[in-house]
Amino acid sequence: MLSRVRTVTFWGLEVFPVTVETDIGRGLPKTLIVGLPDNTIRESQERLLSAFKHSGVDLPDGRITINLAPSDLRKTGSHFDLPLAVGLALASGRTPAFEVSDTLFLGELGLDGRLQPVAGVLQAATWARDQNIRRLVVPFENAKEAEHSGLEILPVSDLDGLFELLWRGVAPEIETSKLDISHHQVSPVPDLNE
């Protein structure tokens, strides 16, 4: 089955749309990523295998081909992990609880299935809003960064939360204890009147 998921790539401050097309066909198990991926994206195969295993989800058997379209545009960044995982999940034949064609996905996977924050979420959210994309799925730590974009922000912490969102349409609640806001904290300034 073929699936299509939306994400972006960056060239400096510019944002370019990318469609992650995933096809699972017959043949010996093998994963091939095409469409000018950089080494970070090629290495995502190993992160995906480990993350799916630690989440208790088996990858579909067969030959997996992932195309990053348009094929003539170089793609960079670890934020492709999340759309690749979504593409694999959808290509396995399950129907998502919401329309993914108007959803943008960004996030890096850890080996244990947890999502790590990524750079460029504000840029991507602003671009998505201008393209009339309705929602953005990002790691919990990136939710605050995108919340003023006007998009529906759906933060997830791990693959389990992602699958809950995809299949049931339920986004986990943001727990402030899980958010790393240390980069937003400002050290107190002494009162100069004293």
Side-chain angles (χ1 to χ4, degrees), residues 1-7 18-23 65-67 69 83-84 86-92 96 98-105 166:
M1 184 167 186
L2 179 68
S3 70
R4 288 186 176 87
V5 177
R6 297 177 80 167
T7 191
V18 174
T19 302
V20 177
E21 300 175 319
T22 306
D23 181 56
T65 305
I66 301 170
N67 180 41
L84 290 172
V86 172
L88 282 170
L90 296 178
S92 67
F98 58 90
E99 182 57 54
V100 297
S101 65
D102 60 358
T103 306
L104 198 67
F105 295 88
L166 281 177

PDB file of all heavy atoms in Angstrom, residues 1-7 18-23 65-67 69 83-84 86-92 96 98-105 166:
ATOM      1  N   MET A   1       0.839  -1.182   0.000  1.00  0.00           N
ATOM      2  CA  MET A   1       0.000   0.000   0.000  1.00  0.00           C
ATOM      3  C   MET A   1       0.883   1.243   0.000  1.00  0.00           C
ATOM      4  O   MET A   1       1.980   1.241   0.542  1.00  0.00           O
ATOM      5  CB  MET A   1      -0.904  -0.028   1.224  1.00  0.00           C
ATOM      6  CG  MET A   1      -1.879   1.104   1.261  1.00  0.00           C
ATOM      7  SD  MET A   1      -3.131   0.810   2.507  1.00  0.00           S
ATOM      8  CE  MET A   1      -4.169   2.188   2.183  1.00  0.00           C
ATOM      9  N   LEU A   2       0.399   2.316  -0.597  1.00  0.00           N
ATOM     10  CA  LEU A   2       1.148   3.565  -0.713  1.00  0.00           C
ATOM     11  C   LEU A   2       0.569   4.605   0.232  1.00  0.00           C
ATOM     12  O   LEU A   2      -0.648   4.742   0.344  1.00  0.00           O
ATOM     13  CB  LEU A   2       1.078   4.069  -2.159  1.00  0.00           C
ATOM     14  CG  LEU A   2       1.781   5.386  -2.469  1.00  0.00           C
ATOM     15  CD1 LEU A   2       3.287   5.218  -2.358  1.00  0.00           C
ATOM     16  CD2 LEU A   2       1.410   5.873  -3.855  1.00  0.00           C
ATOM     17  N   SER A   3       1.448   5.337   0.925  1.00  0.00           N
ATOM     18  CA  SER A   3       0.991   6.436   1.779  1.00  0.00           C
ATOM     19  C   SER A   3       1.755   7.706   1.421  1.00  0.00           C
ATOM     20  O   SER A   3       2.865   7.642   0.897  1.00  0.00           O
ATOM     21  CB  SER A   3       1.192   6.101   3.257  1.00  0.00           C
ATOM     22  OG  SER A   3       2.575   6.090   3.577  1.00  0.00           O
ATOM     23  N   ARG A   4       1.134   8.846   1.729  1.00  0.00           N
ATOM     24  CA  ARG A   4       1.761  10.150   1.498  1.00  0.00           C
ATOM     25  C   ARG A   4       1.626  10.999   2.748  1.00  0.00           C
ATOM     26  O   ARG A   4       0.530  11.135   3.286  1.00  0.00           O
ATOM     27  CB  ARG A   4       1.107  10.864   0.324  1.00  0.00           C
ATOM     28  CG  ARG A   4       1.432  10.263  -1.004  1.00  0.00           C
ATOM     29  CD  ARG A   4       0.864  11.093  -2.158  1.00  0.00           C
ATOM     30  NE  ARG A   4       1.266  10.539  -3.428  1.00  0.00           N
ATOM     31  CZ  ARG A   4       0.603   9.577  -4.072  1.00  0.00           C
ATOM     32  NH1 ARG A   4      -0.496   9.076  -3.547  1.00  0.00           N
ATOM     33  NH2 ARG A   4       1.043   9.107  -5.216  1.00  0.00           N
ATOM     34  N   VAL A   5       2.750  11.567   3.202  1.00  0.00           N
ATOM     35  CA  VAL A   5       2.797  12.386   4.408  1.00  0.00           C
ATOM     36  C   VAL A   5       3.563  13.661   4.089  1.00  0.00           C
ATOM     37  O   VAL A   5       4.549  13.620   3.350  1.00  0.00           O
ATOM     38  CB  VAL A   5       3.494  11.603   5.555  1.00  0.00           C
ATOM     39  CG1 VAL A   5       3.631  12.454   6.786  1.00  0.00           C
ATOM     40  CG2 VAL A   5       2.741  10.326   5.863  1.00  0.00           C
ATOM     41  N   ARG A   6       3.129  14.775   4.689  1.00  0.00           N
ATOM     42  CA  ARG A   6       3.750  16.061   4.398  1.00  0.00           C
ATOM     43  C   ARG A   6       4.748  16.473   5.477  1.00  0.00           C
ATOM     44  O   ARG A   6       4.511  16.298   6.660  1.00  0.00           O
ATOM     45  CB  ARG A   6       2.681  17.145   4.298  1.00  0.00           C
ATOM     46  CG  ARG A   6       1.721  16.905   3.149  1.00  0.00           C
ATOM     47  CD  ARG A   6       0.649  17.930   3.109  1.00  0.00           C
ATOM     48  NE  ARG A   6       1.164  19.152   2.492  1.00  0.00           N
ATOM     49  CZ  ARG A   6       0.403  20.155   2.093  1.00  0.00           C
ATOM     50  NH1 ARG A   6      -0.895  20.108   2.263  1.00  0.00           N
ATOM     51  NH2 ARG A   6       0.927  21.204   1.532  1.00  0.00           N
ATOM     52  N   THR A   7       5.867  17.023   5.014  1.00  0.00           N
ATOM     53  CA  THR A   7       6.848  17.644   5.884  1.00  0.00           C
ATOM     54  C   THR A   7       7.540  18.735   5.075  1.00  0.00           C
ATOM     55  O   THR A   7       7.042  19.106   4.002  1.00  0.00           O
ATOM     56  CB  THR A   7       7.846  16.610   6.457  1.00  0.00           C
ATOM     57  OG1 THR A   7       8.623  17.236   7.495  1.00  0.00           O
ATOM     58  CG2 THR A   7       8.758  16.037   5.402  1.00  0.00           C
ATOM     59  N   VAL A  18       7.923  18.983   1.252  1.00  0.00           N
ATOM     60  CA  VAL A  18       8.390  17.639   0.888  1.00  0.00           C
ATOM     61  C   VAL A  18       7.252  16.666   1.171  1.00  0.00           C
ATOM     62  O   VAL A  18       6.608  16.743   2.217  1.00  0.00           O
ATOM     63  CB  VAL A  18       9.641  17.231   1.687  1.00  0.00           C
ATOM     64  CG1 VAL A  18      10.024  15.784   1.399  1.00  0.00           C
ATOM     65  CG2 VAL A  18      10.805  18.162   1.396  1.00  0.00           C
ATOM     66  N   THR A  19       7.012  15.779   0.223  1.00  0.00           N
ATOM     67  CA  THR A  19       6.045  14.700   0.424  1.00  0.00           C
ATOM     68  C   THR A  19       6.814  13.402   0.624  1.00  0.00           C
ATOM     69  O   THR A  19       7.637  13.026  -0.205  1.00  0.00           O
ATOM     70  CB  THR A  19       5.098  14.568  -0.793  1.00  0.00           C
ATOM     71  OG1 THR A  19       4.428  15.801  -0.991  1.00  0.00           O
ATOM     72  CG2 THR A  19       4.090  13.457  -0.578  1.00  0.00           C
ATOM     73  N   VAL A  20       6.555  12.740   1.750  1.00  0.00           N
ATOM     74  CA  VAL A  20       7.174  11.446   2.035  1.00  0.00           C
ATOM     75  C   VAL A  20       6.219  10.371   1.531  1.00  0.00           C
ATOM     76  O   VAL A  20       5.144  10.171   2.089  1.00  0.00           O
ATOM     77  CB  VAL A  20       7.432  11.286   3.554  1.00  0.00           C
ATOM     78  CG1 VAL A  20       7.999   9.902   3.849  1.00  0.00           C
ATOM     79  CG2 VAL A  20       8.368  12.372   4.057  1.00  0.00           C
ATOM     80  N   GLU A  21       6.602   9.717   0.433  1.00  0.00           N
ATOM     81  CA  GLU A  21       5.799   8.641  -0.154  1.00  0.00           C
ATOM     82  C   GLU A  21       6.393   7.312   0.287  1.00  0.00           C
ATOM     83  O   GLU A  21       7.589   7.083   0.104  1.00  0.00           O
ATOM     84  CB  GLU A  21       5.817   8.726  -1.673  1.00  0.00           C
ATOM     85  CG  GLU A  21       5.263  10.021  -2.223  1.00  0.00           C
ATOM     86  CD  GLU A  21       5.417  10.127  -3.726  1.00  0.00           C
ATOM     87  OE1 GLU A  21       6.495   9.743  -4.243  1.00  0.00           O
ATOM     88  OE2 GLU A  21       4.468  10.580  -4.369  1.00  0.00           O
ATOM     89  N   THR A  22       5.572   6.462   0.870  1.00  0.00           N
ATOM     90  CA  THR A  22       6.042   5.171   1.379  1.00  0.00           C
ATOM     91  C   THR A  22       5.243   4.058   0.723  1.00  0.00           C
ATOM     92  O   THR A  22       4.019   4.091   0.713  1.00  0.00           O
ATOM     93  CB  THR A  22       5.874   5.094   2.910  1.00  0.00           C
ATOM     94  OG1 THR A  22       6.530   6.215   3.497  1.00  0.00           O
ATOM     95  CG2 THR A  22       6.460   3.812   3.452  1.00  0.00           C
ATOM     96  N   ASP A  23       5.969   3.078   0.178  1.00  0.00           N
ATOM     97  CA  ASP A  23       5.329   1.929  -0.452  1.00  0.00           C
ATOM     98  C   ASP A  23       5.911   0.661   0.155  1.00  0.00           C
ATOM     99  O   ASP A  23       7.129   0.535   0.285  1.00  0.00           O
ATOM    100  CB  ASP A  23       5.568   1.939  -1.960  1.00  0.00           C
ATOM    101  CG  ASP A  23       4.896   0.766  -2.641  1.00  0.00           C
ATOM    102  OD1 ASP A  23       3.670   0.609  -2.482  1.00  0.00           O
ATOM    103  OD2 ASP A  23       5.600  -0.007  -3.312  1.00  0.00           O
ATOM    104  N   THR A  65       9.968   1.049   0.201  1.00  0.00           N
ATOM    105  CA  THR A  65      10.585   2.112  -0.593  1.00  0.00           C
ATOM    106  C   THR A  65       9.991   3.438  -0.142  1.00  0.00           C
ATOM    107  O   THR A  65       8.772   3.598  -0.105  1.00  0.00           O
ATOM    108  CB  THR A  65      10.321   1.914  -2.103  1.00  0.00           C
ATOM    109  OG1 THR A  65      10.770   0.616  -2.482  1.00  0.00           O
ATOM    110  CG2 THR A  65      11.052   2.962  -2.917  1.00  0.00           C
ATOM    111  N   ILE A  66      10.871   4.371   0.215  1.00  0.00           N
ATOM    112  CA  ILE A  66      10.445   5.699   0.663  1.00  0.00           C
ATOM    113  C   ILE A  66      11.033   6.727  -0.294  1.00  0.00           C
ATOM    114  O   ILE A  66      12.250   6.777  -0.485  1.00  0.00           O
ATOM    115  CB  ILE A  66      10.907   5.979   2.103  1.00  0.00           C
ATOM    116  CG1 ILE A  66      10.336   4.925   3.056  1.00  0.00           C
ATOM    117  CG2 ILE A  66      10.517   7.387   2.529  1.00  0.00           C
ATOM    118  CD1 ILE A  66      10.922   4.956   4.451  1.00  0.00           C
ATOM    119  N   ASN A  67      10.151   7.513  -0.901  1.00  0.00           N
ATOM    120  CA  ASN A  67      10.573   8.568  -1.814  1.00  0.00           C
ATOM    121  C   ASN A  67      10.296   9.919  -1.167  1.00  0.00           C
ATOM    122  O   ASN A  67       9.201  10.170  -0.684  1.00  0.00           O
ATOM    123  CB  ASN A  67       9.812   8.464  -3.141  1.00  0.00           C
ATOM    124  CG  ASN A  67      10.226   9.553  -4.108  1.00  0.00           C
ATOM    125  OD1 ASN A  67      11.405   9.878  -4.232  1.00  0.00           O
ATOM    126  ND2 ASN A  67       9.259  10.147  -4.783  1.00  0.00           N
ATOM    127  N   ALA A  69       9.768  13.452  -2.157  1.00  0.00           N
ATOM    128  CA  ALA A  69       9.478  14.243  -3.360  1.00  0.00           C
ATOM    129  C   ALA A  69       9.376  15.722  -3.006  1.00  0.00           C
ATOM    130  O   ALA A  69       8.842  16.058  -1.957  1.00  0.00           O
ATOM    131  CB  ALA A  69       8.163  13.755  -3.973  1.00  0.00           C
ATOM    132  N   PRO A  83       7.844  12.053  10.086  1.00  0.00           N
ATOM    133  CA  PRO A  83       7.052  11.747   8.888  1.00  0.00           C
ATOM    134  C   PRO A  83       7.360  10.377   8.289  1.00  0.00           C
ATOM    135  O   PRO A  83       6.470   9.725   7.738  1.00  0.00           O
ATOM    136  CB  PRO A  83       7.384  12.878   7.918  1.00  0.00           C
ATOM    137  CG  PRO A  83       8.518  13.615   8.486  1.00  0.00           C
ATOM    138  CD  PRO A  83       8.591  13.303   9.937  1.00  0.00           C
ATOM    139  N   LEU A  84       8.610   9.906   8.425  1.00  0.00           N
ATOM    140  CA  LEU A  84       8.934   8.558   7.939  1.00  0.00           C
ATOM    141  C   LEU A  84       8.180   7.511   8.748  1.00  0.00           C
ATOM    142  O   LEU A  84       7.639   6.546   8.191  1.00  0.00           O
ATOM    143  CB  LEU A  84      10.442   8.309   8.021  1.00  0.00           C
ATOM    144  CG  LEU A  84      11.328   9.095   7.042  1.00  0.00           C
ATOM    145  CD1 LEU A  84      12.798   8.897   7.380  1.00  0.00           C
ATOM    146  CD2 LEU A  84      11.045   8.728   5.615  1.00  0.00           C
ATOM    147  N   VAL A  86       5.348   7.938  10.380  1.00  0.00           N
ATOM    148  CA  VAL A  86       3.928   8.048  10.027  1.00  0.00           C
ATOM    149  C   VAL A  86       3.669   7.373   8.687  1.00  0.00           C
ATOM    150  O   VAL A  86       2.700   6.626   8.523  1.00  0.00           O
ATOM    151  CB  VAL A  86       3.472   9.517   9.999  1.00  0.00           C
ATOM    152  CG1 VAL A  86       2.059   9.644   9.454  1.00  0.00           C
ATOM    153  CG2 VAL A  86       3.565  10.138  11.386  1.00  0.00           C
ATOM    154  N   GLY A  87       4.550   7.614   7.719  1.00  0.00           N
ATOM    155  CA  GLY A  87       4.408   6.987   6.408  1.00  0.00           C
ATOM    156  C   GLY A  87       4.414   5.470   6.493  1.00  0.00           C
ATOM    157  O   GLY A  87       3.597   4.794   5.856  1.00  0.00           O
ATOM    158  N   LEU A  88       5.324   4.918   7.295  1.00  0.00           N
ATOM    159  CA  LEU A  88       5.369   3.466   7.478  1.00  0.00           C
ATOM    160  C   LEU A  88       4.091   2.945   8.124  1.00  0.00           C
ATOM    161  O   LEU A  88       3.552   1.921   7.706  1.00  0.00           O
ATOM    162  CB  LEU A  88       6.574   3.086   8.347  1.00  0.00           C
ATOM    163  CG  LEU A  88       7.925   3.071   7.653  1.00  0.00           C
ATOM    164  CD1 LEU A  88       9.045   2.916   8.675  1.00  0.00           C
ATOM    165  CD2 LEU A  88       7.979   1.945   6.641  1.00  0.00           C
ATOM    166  N   ALA A  89       3.619   3.657   9.146  1.00  0.00           N
ATOM    167  CA  ALA A  89       2.400   3.222   9.834  1.00  0.00           C
ATOM    168  C   ALA A  89       1.208   3.231   8.885  1.00  0.00           C
ATOM    169  O   ALA A  89       0.412   2.295   8.867  1.00  0.00           O
ATOM    170  CB  ALA A  89       2.140   4.123  11.041  1.00  0.00           C
ATOM    171  N   LEU A  90       1.088   4.276   8.079  1.00  0.00           N
ATOM    172  CA  LEU A  90      -0.048   4.389   7.163  1.00  0.00           C
ATOM    173  C   LEU A  90       0.051   3.393   6.014  1.00  0.00           C
ATOM    174  O   LEU A  90      -0.957   2.864   5.550  1.00  0.00           O
ATOM    175  CB  LEU A  90      -0.170   5.806   6.614  1.00  0.00           C
ATOM    176  CG  LEU A  90      -0.468   6.902   7.635  1.00  0.00           C
ATOM    177  CD1 LEU A  90      -0.504   8.265   6.955  1.00  0.00           C
ATOM    178  CD2 LEU A  90      -1.770   6.634   8.362  1.00  0.00           C
ATOM    179  N   ALA A  91       1.282   3.121   5.552  1.00  0.00           N
ATOM    180  CA  ALA A  91       1.461   2.181   4.436  1.00  0.00           C
ATOM    181  C   ALA A  91       1.143   0.751   4.841  1.00  0.00           C
ATOM    182  O   ALA A  91       0.940  -0.104   3.986  1.00  0.00           O
ATOM    183  CB  ALA A  91       2.890   2.274   3.897  1.00  0.00           C
ATOM    184  N   SER A  92       1.069   0.514   6.141  1.00  0.00           N
ATOM    185  CA  SER A  92       0.720  -0.834   6.598  1.00  0.00           C
ATOM    186  C   SER A  92      -0.758  -1.136   6.401  1.00  0.00           C
ATOM    187  O   SER A  92      -1.198  -2.266   6.600  1.00  0.00           O
ATOM    188  CB  SER A  92       1.101  -1.013   8.068  1.00  0.00           C
ATOM    189  OG  SER A  92       0.297  -0.198   8.891  1.00  0.00           O
ATOM    190  N   PRO A  96      -6.137   6.304   9.188  1.00  0.00           N
ATOM    191  CA  PRO A  96      -5.957   7.267  10.281  1.00  0.00           C
ATOM    192  C   PRO A  96      -7.287   7.869  10.721  1.00  0.00           C
ATOM    193  O   PRO A  96      -8.261   7.871   9.976  1.00  0.00           O
ATOM    194  CB  PRO A  96      -5.040   8.332   9.671  1.00  0.00           C
ATOM    195  CG  PRO A  96      -5.280   8.251   8.204  1.00  0.00           C
ATOM    196  CD  PRO A  96      -5.609   6.805   7.919  1.00  0.00           C
ATOM    197  N   PHE A  98      -7.819  10.989  11.322  1.00  0.00           N
ATOM    198  CA  PHE A  98      -8.015  12.325  10.757  1.00  0.00           C
ATOM    199  C   PHE A  98      -7.280  12.408   9.432  1.00  0.00           C
ATOM    200  O   PHE A  98      -6.449  11.561   9.115  1.00  0.00           O
ATOM    201  CB  PHE A  98      -7.534  13.421  11.723  1.00  0.00           C
ATOM    202  CG  PHE A  98      -6.081  13.307  12.106  1.00  0.00           C
ATOM    203  CD1 PHE A  98      -5.091  13.931  11.361  1.00  0.00           C
ATOM    204  CD2 PHE A  98      -5.708  12.575  13.224  1.00  0.00           C
ATOM    205  CE1 PHE A  98      -3.762  13.819  11.713  1.00  0.00           C
ATOM    206  CE2 PHE A  98      -4.379  12.454  13.594  1.00  0.00           C
ATOM    207  CZ  PHE A  98      -3.405  13.078  12.828  1.00  0.00           C
ATOM    208  N   GLU A  99      -7.603  13.423   8.668  1.00  0.00           N
ATOM    209  CA  GLU A  99      -7.018  13.601   7.339  1.00  0.00           C
ATOM    210  C   GLU A  99      -5.564  14.066   7.472  1.00  0.00           C
ATOM    211  O   GLU A  99      -5.310  15.152   7.987  1.00  0.00           O
ATOM    212  CB  GLU A  99      -7.841  14.627   6.547  1.00  0.00           C
ATOM    213  CG  GLU A  99      -7.364  14.851   5.137  1.00  0.00           C
ATOM    214  CD  GLU A  99      -7.325  13.569   4.323  1.00  0.00           C
ATOM    215  OE1 GLU A  99      -8.346  12.874   4.256  1.00  0.00           O
ATOM    216  OE2 GLU A  99      -6.252  13.282   3.748  1.00  0.00           O
ATOM    217  N   VAL A 100      -4.624  13.253   7.013  1.00  0.00           N
ATOM    218  CA  VAL A 100      -3.216  13.621   7.144  1.00  0.00           C
ATOM    219  C   VAL A 100      -2.731  14.522   6.015  1.00  0.00           C
ATOM    220  O   VAL A 100      -1.654  15.090   6.112  1.00  0.00           O
ATOM    221  CB  VAL A 100      -2.303  12.371   7.250  1.00  0.00           C
ATOM    222  CG1 VAL A 100      -2.606  11.575   8.496  1.00  0.00           C
ATOM    223  CG2 VAL A 100      -2.369  11.525   6.007  1.00  0.00           C
ATOM    224  N   SER A 101      -3.518  14.688   4.971  1.00  0.00           N
ATOM    225  CA  SER A 101      -3.069  15.514   3.850  1.00  0.00           C
ATOM    226  C   SER A 101      -2.993  16.996   4.219  1.00  0.00           C
ATOM    227  O   SER A 101      -2.293  17.751   3.555  1.00  0.00           O
ATOM    228  CB  SER A 101      -3.981  15.329   2.633  1.00  0.00           C
ATOM    229  OG  SER A 101      -5.272  15.815   2.919  1.00  0.00           O
ATOM    230  N   ASP A 102      -3.696  17.422   5.284  1.00  0.00           N
ATOM    231  CA  ASP A 102      -3.589  18.814   5.716  1.00  0.00           C
ATOM    232  C   ASP A 102      -2.874  18.903   7.072  1.00  0.00           C
ATOM    233  O   ASP A 102      -3.142  19.765   7.879  1.00  0.00           O
ATOM    234  CB  ASP A 102      -4.957  19.492   5.777  1.00  0.00           C
ATOM    235  CG  ASP A 102      -5.924  18.824   6.728  1.00  0.00           C
ATOM    236  OD1 ASP A 102      -5.558  17.799   7.326  1.00  0.00           O
ATOM    237  OD2 ASP A 102      -7.041  19.337   6.876  1.00  0.00           O
ATOM    238  N   THR A 103      -1.926  17.966   7.276  1.00  0.00           N
ATOM    239  CA  THR A 103      -1.142  17.908   8.503  1.00  0.00           C
ATOM    240  C   THR A 103       0.334  17.863   8.147  1.00  0.00           C
ATOM    241  O   THR A 103       0.737  17.150   7.228  1.00  0.00           O
ATOM    242  CB  THR A 103      -1.511  16.654   9.319  1.00  0.00           C
ATOM    243  OG1 THR A 103      -2.921  16.634   9.525  1.00  0.00           O
ATOM    244  CG2 THR A 103      -0.801  16.633  10.656  1.00  0.00           C
ATOM    245  N   LEU A 104       1.134  18.638   8.874  1.00  0.00           N
ATOM    246  CA  LEU A 104       2.584  18.660   8.684  1.00  0.00           C
ATOM    247  C   LEU A 104       3.217  17.938   9.872  1.00  0.00           C
ATOM    248  O   LEU A 104       2.807  18.151  11.012  1.00  0.00           O
ATOM    249  CB  LEU A 104       3.063  20.110   8.623  1.00  0.00           C
ATOM    250  CG  LEU A 104       4.430  20.375   8.019  1.00  0.00           C
ATOM    251  CD1 LEU A 104       4.430  20.052   6.531  1.00  0.00           C
ATOM    252  CD2 LEU A 104       4.824  21.829   8.235  1.00  0.00           C
ATOM    253  N   PHE A 105       4.215  17.077   9.605  1.00  0.00           N
ATOM    254  CA  PHE A 105       4.870  16.289  10.643  1.00  0.00           C
ATOM    255  C   PHE A 105       6.346  16.645  10.723  1.00  0.00           C
ATOM    256  O   PHE A 105       7.032  16.671   9.703  1.00  0.00           O
ATOM    257  CB  PHE A 105       4.739  14.792  10.344  1.00  0.00           C
ATOM    258  CG  PHE A 105       3.327  14.280  10.376  1.00  0.00           C
ATOM    259  CD1 PHE A 105       2.532  14.312   9.239  1.00  0.00           C
ATOM    260  CD2 PHE A 105       2.790  13.767  11.548  1.00  0.00           C
ATOM    261  CE1 PHE A 105       1.232  13.838   9.262  1.00  0.00           C
ATOM    262  CE2 PHE A 105       1.493  13.293  11.587  1.00  0.00           C
ATOM    263  CZ  PHE A 105       0.707  13.327  10.449  1.00  0.00           C
ATOM    264  N   LEU A 166      -2.780   8.918  15.700  1.00  0.00           N
ATOM    265  CA  LEU A 166      -3.132   8.486  14.345  1.00  0.00           C
ATOM    266  C   LEU A 166      -4.379   7.625  14.302  1.00  0.00           C
ATOM    267  O   LEU A 166      -5.254   7.822  13.470  1.00  0.00           O
ATOM    268  CB  LEU A 166      -1.979   7.710  13.711  1.00  0.00           C
ATOM    269  CG  LEU A 166      -0.817   8.500  13.139  1.00  0.00           C
ATOM    270  CD1 LEU A 166       0.250   7.550  12.615  1.00  0.00           C
ATOM    271  CD2 LEU A 166      -1.267   9.449  12.048  1.00  0.00           C
TER     272      LEU A 166
END
